[in-house]
Amino acid sequence: MPRTYLVTGALSGIGAATTALLRRQGHTVLAADLEGGDIAADLSAPEGRAALVARARELSGGRLDAVVACAGVAHFDPVTVRINHFGAVATLEGLRPLLAAGSDPRALVVGSVDAVHPTDPAIVAAADADDETEAVAAARAAVDRGEGHLVYSSSKAAVSRWVRRAAPGDAWAGAGIALNAVAPGVVLTPLTKPLLDDPATLALVERAVPMPLHGHSRPEQLAPLVAWLTSPENALVTGQVVFADGGADAVLRGDRVW
Ligand SMILES: NC(=O)c1ccc[n+]([C@@H]2O[C@H](COP(=O)([O-])OP(=O)(O)OC[C@H]3O[C@@H](n4cnc5c(N)ncnc54)[C@H](O)[C@@H]3O)[C@@H](O)[C@H]2O)c1
C-alpha cells in the first residue's frame, strides 16, 4: 500500500537516500530541508519548526503515515544541539497528531553511534528537561573550554534518551505509533567528507568509530533499515536505538550493555 512519508534533511546524504528508496517503493515523500524540496524550514529555530508542521499539514491534508527526522549537523557549536535534539523532537512531536491520523504510523530519528562517546552531562540534562536555553548555554560553555566535540555526542545521546522515554508512553505506543532511532557509524556524506578528506582527522575518526564489518558505510545502506522500521511490517520494534554501525557499538561498549 502506498504511504505518505515526511523526511527532514531529505536533500542530502542519508535523508536523500531514504527519500529515493521510499519513492522507488511507490510511496509519496514530502521532502523537507533547509532550502528547496517540498518544505523549506530551518529546524534550528522555533519559527522554522512551526513552519514545517503547518506546511506538512497543508500538503498532507492532515495525515502522515511515517516521519523520518534525519536533518542534522556536526558543528562544534550550540546550533548542533538546537537542530539534532530540539529540532528533531519538535519535528516528531509537532507531526505526531498527523501520524495519529495516518495508517500503521511510524516515526524515526537518525541518531548516531557517537551517542556512546563521552558527553557533556549539562547539555544532556538540559535536553532531558526540555530546556533549550540551558542546553545552548551548556553547549556554548563546552565550546568555550575547548570541548566543542561534546556537543554532537550530547545531542545524539539526548535524542536517543528522548526516544526511550517517549516511545512506550500513551502519546506514541498508546496511539499505535512505533518510535525508534537508528544509530549509524561513519557514513560517506557531505557531513563527514571534510573529516575523512583530512588524514589527521581520518585517523581520529577511525579510532573513535571502528567499523569491523565493511568499514565506512554509504547512505544507501542505511535507507532499507529506515524504510523497514517505518513500514507497517514493523509491528513490534519501538523505543529502540538500532545501531547500524558495522560493529562500532559492539567494539566500543562490548558486553557492558547487558
Ligand atoms: N554521516 C555520518 O557519518 C553520520 C553518522 C551518524 C549519524 N548521522 C546523522 O545522520 C543525519 C543525516 O546526516 P548526513 O550524514 O546525511 O548529512 P548531510 O549533511 O548529507 O545531510 C544533512 C541534511 O540536514 C539538513 N539540515 C542541516 N541543518 C538544517 C536545519 N537547520 N534545518 C533543516 N535541515 C537542516 C541539510 O540541509 C542536509 O540536507 C544527521 O542527523 C547526522 O547527525 C550521520
Side-chain angles (χ1 to χ4, degrees), residues 9 11-15 33-34 41-44 70-73 83-84 110-112 152 156 184-187 189-192:
L11 296 192
S12 180
I14 300 167
D33 214 308
L34 202 45
D42 179 354
L43 298 174
S44 69
C70 190
V73 295
I83 298 169
N84 297 5
V110 179
S112 172
Y152 184 75
K156 294 300 188 181
V186 179
V187 192
T189 70
L191 183 135
T192 47

Side-chain angles (χ1 to χ4, degrees), residues 142-225:
V143 173
D144 289 349
R145 62 173 191 271
E147 292 189 315
H149 61 285
L150 295 181
V151 183
Y152 184 75
S153 58
S154 303
S155 72
K156 294 300 188 181
V159 83
S160 304
R161 290 167 64 84
W162 177 82
V163 165
R164 298 284 293 174
R165 285 196 307 275
D170 288 347
W172 294 94
I177 312 171
L179 169 64
N180 293 288
V182 296
V186 179
V187 192
L188 304 170
T189 70
L191 183 135
T192 47
K193 191 168 187 323
L195 294 173
L196 304 179
D197 283 351
D198 173 349
T201 46
L202 172 64
L204 286 176
V205 168
E206 284 184 335
R207 266 204 307 281
V209 186
M211 296 177 68
L213 181 70
H214 301 150
H216 295 164
S217 52
R218 289 176 287 107
E220 294 74 23
Q221 295 171 314
L222 270 303
L225 175 63

